[in-house]
Amino acid sequence: MWVGIVTIFPEVFRALTEHGVVSRAIAEGIVELQFEDPRNHTTDRHQSVDDRPYGGGPGMVMKVAPLMAAIAVLKAGAPAPPKVIYLSPQGRVLDQRKAEALARESALILIAGRYEGVDERLLDRCVDEEISIGDFVMSGGELPAMVLLDAVARHLPGTLGNSESAVQESHRAGVLDCPHYTRPEEMLGARVPAVLLSGDHASIERYRRLVALARTYERRPDLLTGRALTAAERELLGVYFADPRSGRVDGQVE
Protein backbone atom coordinates (compact mmCIF):
# COMPACT_ATOMS: atom_id res chain seq x y z
CA MET A 1 0.00 0.00 0.00
CA TRP A 2 1.17 3.51 -0.87
CA VAL A 3 0.26 6.32 1.54
CA GLY A 4 0.88 10.01 0.97
CA ILE A 5 0.70 12.34 3.96
CA VAL A 6 0.15 16.10 3.88
CA THR A 7 1.62 17.59 7.05
CA ILE A 8 3.64 20.56 8.27
CA PHE A 9 5.29 18.26 10.83
CA PRO A 10 6.57 15.18 8.93
CA GLU A 11 9.15 14.52 11.66
CA VAL A 12 6.33 13.63 14.08
CA PHE A 13 5.74 10.43 12.13
CA ARG A 14 9.10 8.99 13.20
CA ALA A 15 7.31 7.47 16.18
CA LEU A 16 5.49 5.30 13.67
CA THR A 17 8.05 4.88 10.91
CA GLU A 18 10.97 3.95 13.16
CA HIS A 19 9.24 1.67 15.67
CA GLY A 20 6.75 -1.20 15.78
CA VAL A 21 4.84 -3.13 13.15
CA VAL A 22 4.40 -0.22 10.74
CA SER A 23 8.16 0.39 10.62
CA ARG A 24 8.66 -3.29 9.78
CA ALA A 25 6.00 -3.06 7.10
CA ILE A 26 7.83 -0.09 5.60
CA ALA A 27 11.19 -1.88 5.76
CA GLU A 28 9.71 -4.91 4.00
CA GLY A 29 8.03 -2.84 1.29
CA ILE A 30 4.48 -3.62 2.40
CA VAL A 31 3.81 0.05 3.11
CA GLU A 32 5.38 2.98 1.25
CA LEU A 33 5.06 6.47 2.72
CA GLN A 34 5.55 9.80 0.96
CA PHE A 35 5.34 13.10 2.84
CA GLU A 36 4.58 16.53 1.47
CA ASP A 37 4.81 19.72 3.51
CA PRO A 38 2.38 22.42 2.32
CA ARG A 39 4.93 25.03 3.46
CA ASN A 40 6.91 24.05 0.37
CA HIS A 41 4.11 25.50 -1.73
CA THR A 42 3.82 28.95 -0.20
CA THR A 43 4.86 32.21 -1.84
CA ASP A 44 5.58 34.52 1.11
CA ARG A 45 8.81 34.72 3.07
CA HIS A 46 7.12 33.41 6.24
CA GLN A 47 5.84 30.30 4.42
CA SER A 48 2.34 30.94 5.77
CA VAL A 49 -0.11 28.07 5.39
CA ASP A 50 -2.86 29.70 7.47
CA ASP A 51 -4.81 32.94 7.67
CA ARG A 52 -7.56 34.61 9.71
CA PRO A 53 -11.08 33.24 9.17
CA TYR A 54 -13.65 35.31 7.30
CA GLY A 55 -16.42 36.40 9.66
CA GLY A 56 -14.05 36.67 12.58
CA GLY A 57 -13.56 34.28 15.45
CA PRO A 58 -10.59 32.72 17.25
CA GLY A 59 -7.80 30.77 15.64
CA MET A 60 -6.52 30.47 12.10
CA VAL A 61 -7.63 28.43 9.10
CA MET A 62 -5.35 26.51 6.73
CA LYS A 63 -5.37 28.00 3.23
CA VAL A 64 -6.47 26.18 0.09
CA ALA A 65 -3.55 26.79 -2.27
CA PRO A 66 -0.66 25.23 -0.29
CA LEU A 67 -2.75 22.18 0.64
CA MET A 68 -4.02 21.71 -2.90
CA ALA A 69 -0.49 21.91 -4.30
CA ALA A 70 0.75 19.35 -1.76
CA ILE A 71 -2.08 16.99 -2.69
CA ALA A 72 -1.23 17.39 -6.38
CA VAL A 73 2.40 16.44 -5.76
CA LEU A 74 1.36 13.33 -3.87
CA LYS A 75 -1.17 12.32 -6.52
CA ALA A 76 1.55 12.60 -9.15
CA GLY A 77 3.71 10.19 -7.14
CA ALA A 78 0.98 7.70 -6.34
CA PRO A 79 1.06 4.31 -8.12
CA ALA A 80 -2.75 4.32 -8.38
CA PRO A 81 -5.54 6.88 -7.99
CA PRO A 82 -5.53 7.57 -4.23
CA LYS A 83 -8.45 8.00 -1.88
CA VAL A 84 -8.03 11.39 -0.18
CA ILE A 85 -8.88 11.48 3.52
CA TYR A 86 -8.97 14.47 5.84
CA LEU A 87 -8.54 13.64 9.54
CA SER A 88 -11.31 15.61 11.22
CA PRO A 89 -13.48 15.45 14.38
CA GLN A 90 -16.40 16.04 12.03
CA GLY A 91 -15.79 12.84 10.08
CA ARG A 92 -17.05 9.30 10.41
CA VAL A 93 -15.51 7.63 13.45
CA LEU A 94 -12.84 5.10 12.53
CA ASP A 95 -13.73 1.54 13.50
CA GLN A 96 -12.47 -1.93 12.69
CA ARG A 97 -14.71 -2.35 9.66
CA LYS A 98 -13.50 0.94 8.20
CA ALA A 99 -9.86 0.04 8.84
CA GLU A 100 -10.35 -3.23 6.99
CA ALA A 101 -12.03 -1.44 4.09
CA LEU A 102 -9.20 1.08 3.79
CA ALA A 103 -6.67 -1.76 3.82
CA ARG A 104 -8.18 -2.88 0.52
CA GLU A 105 -7.26 0.43 -1.12
CA SER A 106 -4.09 0.58 -3.21
CA ALA A 107 -3.28 4.19 -2.33
CA LEU A 108 -4.34 6.75 0.26
CA ILE A 109 -3.60 10.40 0.89
CA LEU A 110 -4.02 11.54 4.50
CA ILE A 111 -4.34 15.25 5.24
CA ALA A 112 -3.24 16.25 8.74
CA GLY A 113 -4.78 19.63 9.43
CA ARG A 114 -3.85 22.17 12.08
CA TYR A 115 -5.22 25.28 13.76
CA GLU A 116 -9.03 25.65 13.47
CA GLY A 117 -9.16 23.38 10.44
CA VAL A 118 -8.94 23.84 6.69
CA ASP A 119 -10.81 26.01 4.22
CA GLU A 120 -14.11 24.30 3.40
CA ARG A 121 -13.53 24.73 -0.32
CA LEU A 122 -10.62 22.30 -0.14
CA LEU A 123 -12.85 19.69 1.47
CA ASP A 124 -15.53 20.20 -1.18
CA ARG A 125 -13.17 19.83 -4.12
CA CYS A 126 -10.23 17.69 -3.07
CA VAL A 127 -11.28 15.37 -0.24
CA ASP A 128 -13.13 12.08 -0.69
CA GLU A 129 -13.86 11.41 2.96
CA GLU A 130 -13.41 12.84 6.45
CA ILE A 131 -12.49 10.41 9.24
CA SER A 132 -12.35 10.97 13.01
CA ILE A 133 -10.66 8.80 15.63
CA GLY A 134 -13.17 9.80 18.32
CA ASP A 135 -15.52 12.43 19.63
CA PHE A 136 -12.85 14.80 20.90
CA VAL A 137 -10.62 17.53 19.50
CA MET A 138 -6.83 17.32 19.13
CA SER A 139 -4.21 19.94 18.30
CA GLY A 140 -3.58 18.53 14.84
CA GLY A 141 -4.20 15.65 12.48
CA GLU A 142 -0.78 14.00 12.76
CA LEU A 143 -1.63 11.69 15.67
CA PRO A 144 -5.02 10.72 14.16
CA ALA A 145 -3.25 9.99 10.86
CA MET A 146 -0.79 7.71 12.67
CA VAL A 147 -3.65 5.94 14.46
CA LEU A 148 -5.42 5.34 11.16
CA LEU A 149 -2.25 4.16 9.45
CA ASP A 150 -1.43 1.71 12.25
CA ALA A 151 -4.98 0.33 12.28
CA VAL A 152 -4.96 -0.13 8.50
CA ALA A 153 -1.43 -1.55 8.18
CA ARG A 154 -2.26 -4.43 10.53
CA HIS A 155 -4.57 -5.83 7.87
CA LEU A 156 -2.03 -5.82 5.06
CA PRO A 157 -0.63 -9.30 4.36
CA GLY A 158 2.79 -9.73 5.93
CA THR A 159 2.61 -6.83 8.39
CA LEU A 160 2.01 -8.99 11.45
CA GLY A 161 4.34 -11.86 12.23
CA ASN A 162 1.37 -14.12 12.97
CA SER A 163 -1.57 -13.57 10.62
CA GLU A 164 -3.91 -14.98 13.26
CA SER A 165 -3.19 -11.99 15.49
CA ALA A 166 -5.33 -9.71 13.33
CA VAL A 167 -8.12 -12.30 13.25
CA GLN A 168 -8.36 -12.80 17.00
CA GLU A 169 -7.95 -9.25 18.30
CA SER A 170 -10.63 -7.00 19.79
CA HIS A 171 -13.40 -5.81 17.43
CA ARG A 172 -12.30 -8.15 14.60
CA ALA A 173 -15.45 -10.27 15.03
CA GLY A 174 -17.58 -7.39 16.30
CA VAL A 175 -16.92 -8.13 19.97
CA LEU A 176 -14.18 -7.33 22.47
CA ASP A 177 -11.24 -9.66 22.87
CA CYS A 178 -11.02 -12.36 25.53
CA PRO A 179 -8.42 -11.99 28.33
CA HIS A 180 -4.92 -13.38 27.80
CA TYR A 181 -2.39 -14.94 30.18
CA THR A 182 1.21 -16.10 30.10
CA ARG A 183 3.69 -17.69 32.51
CA PRO A 184 3.83 -18.08 35.48
CA GLU A 185 0.56 -19.90 36.20
CA GLU A 186 0.16 -18.04 39.50
CA MET A 187 0.93 -14.36 39.93
CA LEU A 188 -0.28 -11.61 42.27
CA GLY A 189 -2.44 -14.09 44.13
CA ALA A 190 -4.36 -15.14 41.01
CA ARG A 191 -4.10 -18.26 38.87
CA VAL A 192 -4.62 -18.73 35.18
CA PRO A 193 -8.12 -20.16 34.57
CA ALA A 194 -7.86 -23.92 34.70
CA VAL A 195 -9.59 -24.44 31.37
CA LEU A 196 -6.70 -22.68 29.60
CA LEU A 197 -4.30 -25.27 31.04
CA SER A 198 -6.46 -28.26 30.14
CA GLY A 199 -5.19 -28.84 26.62
CA ASP A 200 -8.81 -29.28 25.51
CA HIS A 201 -8.88 -26.92 22.54
CA ALA A 202 -12.64 -27.08 22.05
CA SER A 203 -13.27 -26.14 25.68
CA ILE A 204 -10.67 -23.39 25.51
CA GLU A 205 -12.25 -21.88 22.41
CA ARG A 206 -15.73 -22.08 23.94
CA TYR A 207 -14.48 -20.42 27.14
CA ARG A 208 -12.77 -17.62 25.24
CA ARG A 209 -15.84 -16.91 23.14
CA LEU A 210 -18.09 -16.89 26.21
CA VAL A 211 -15.87 -14.49 28.15
CA ALA A 212 -15.43 -12.23 25.10
CA LEU A 213 -19.20 -11.99 24.66
CA ALA A 214 -19.74 -11.40 28.39
CA ARG A 215 -17.08 -8.70 28.43
CA THR A 216 -18.66 -7.03 25.41
CA TYR A 217 -22.11 -7.10 27.02
CA GLU A 218 -20.75 -5.60 30.25
CA ARG A 219 -18.39 -3.00 28.79
CA ARG A 220 -19.63 -2.19 25.29
CA PRO A 221 -23.26 -3.35 24.93
CA ASP A 222 -23.61 -0.95 21.99
CA LEU A 223 -21.51 -3.36 19.91
CA LEU A 224 -24.16 -6.04 20.30
CA THR A 225 -27.14 -3.78 19.61
CA GLY A 226 -28.57 -4.59 16.22
CA ARG A 227 -25.83 -7.13 15.51
CA ALA A 228 -26.91 -10.40 13.93
CA LEU A 229 -25.74 -12.98 16.47
CA THR A 230 -24.86 -16.48 15.36
CA ALA A 231 -26.61 -19.45 16.90
CA ALA A 232 -23.45 -20.26 18.87
CA GLU A 233 -23.25 -16.69 20.21
CA ARG A 234 -26.90 -16.73 21.26
CA GLU A 235 -26.32 -20.02 23.06
CA LEU A 236 -23.25 -18.68 24.87
CA LEU A 237 -25.02 -15.47 25.89
CA GLY A 238 -27.83 -17.66 27.22
CA VAL A 239 -25.29 -19.45 29.40
CA TYR A 240 -23.98 -16.12 30.65
CA PHE A 241 -27.42 -14.67 31.38
CA ALA A 242 -28.41 -17.81 33.29
CA ASP A 243 -25.23 -17.60 35.39
CA PRO A 244 -23.20 -14.35 35.05
CA ARG A 245 -20.32 -16.04 36.92
CA SER A 246 -19.73 -18.14 33.82
CA GLY A 247 -18.57 -15.04 31.99
CA ARG A 248 -15.98 -14.03 34.55
CA VAL A 249 -12.35 -14.42 33.61
CA ASP A 250 -11.93 -17.08 36.28
CA GLY A 251 -15.05 -18.94 35.21
CA GLN A 252 -15.03 -22.28 33.43
CA VAL A 253 -17.34 -23.69 30.84
CA GLU A 254 -18.25 -27.30 31.39
Side-chain angles (χ1 to χ4, degrees):
M1 169 181 276
W2 179 94
V3 181
I5 301 175
V6 178
T7 174
I8 61 173
F9 295 121
E11 64 276 8
V12 171
F13 287 82
R14 290 176 183 169
L16 192 70
T17 61
E18 296 180 5
H19 307 278
V21 296
V22 176
S23 69
R24 292 199 298 271
I26 293 171
E28 295 175 10
I30 299 168
V31 174
E32 178 185 353
L33 297 186
Q34 181 178 339
F35 295 93
E36 189 63 30
D37 188 341
R39 293 192 189 280
N40 296 332
H41 305 282
T42 56
T43 56
D44 66 302
R45 64 188 181 91
H46 298 294
Q47 293 186 302
S48 302
V49 295
D50 61 311
D51 207 338
R52 294 185 300 274
Y54 281 119
M60 305 288 275
V61 176
M62 296 192 79
K63 299 192 290 187
V64 172
L67 291 172
M68 184 176 290
I71 293 170
V73 168
L74 290 175
K75 283 187 172 181
K83 185 181 187 72
V84 181
I85 296 171
Y86 173 54
L87 282 304
S88 163
Q90 300 179 72
R92 167 186 170 172
V93 176
L94 178 68
D95 57 17
Q96 191 73 7
R97 183 176 299 179
K98 186 61 179 178
E100 292 176 13
L102 291 175
R104 294 191 287 271
E105 298 282 344
S106 298
L108 300 173
I109 290 178
L110 307 180
I111 303 173
R114 281 271 156 177
Y115 315 114
E116 291 300 308
V118 305
D119 191 303
E120 189 73 14
R121 291 167 292 187
L122 181 89
L123 302 181
D124 292 340
R125 290 164 175 77
C126 301
V127 172
D128 298 312
E129 186 173 4
E130 294 181 55
I131 293 181
S132 168
I133 63 167
D135 295 331
F136 49 86
V137 178
M138 301 190 70
S139 300
E142 283 77 15
L143 286 175
M146 285 191 278
V147 168
L148 185 149
L149 184 55
D150 187 279
V152 169
R154 298 175 65 82
H155 298 288
L156 300 176
T159 296
L160 299 180
N162 184 344
S163 60
E164 287 299 308
S165 295
V167 174
Q168 296 181 4
E169 59 197 5
S170 287
H171 298 286
R172 180 61 177 82
V175 298
L176 301 183
D177 200 3
C178 61
H180 300 281
Y181 302 87
T182 189
R183 295 174 177 80
E185 292 180 17
E186 185 172 350
M187 187 70 181
L188 303 175
R191 293 185 61 82
V192 175
V195 65
L196 299 179
L197 308 174
S198 67
D200 185 335
H201 296 294
S203 294
I204 291 171
E205 176 63 19
R206 180 176 167 82
Y207 168 76
R208 285 175 169 166
R209 291 171 65 188
L210 172 59
V211 176
L213 284 165
R215 178 169 285 186
T216 304
Y217 178 80
E218 294 170 354
R219 300 182 182 183
R220 291 290 307 277
D222 56 295
L223 295 176
L224 299 178
T225 302
R227 182 176 180 272
L229 299 174
T230 66
E233 289 173 332
R234 289 195 298 271
E235 187 267 332
L236 289 172
L237 280 174
V239 171
Y240 167 67
F241 292 144
D243 181 9
R245 294 175 302 173
S246 64
R248 290 164 46 189
V249 296
D250 58 350
Q252 296 185 44
V253 180
E254 300 296 336

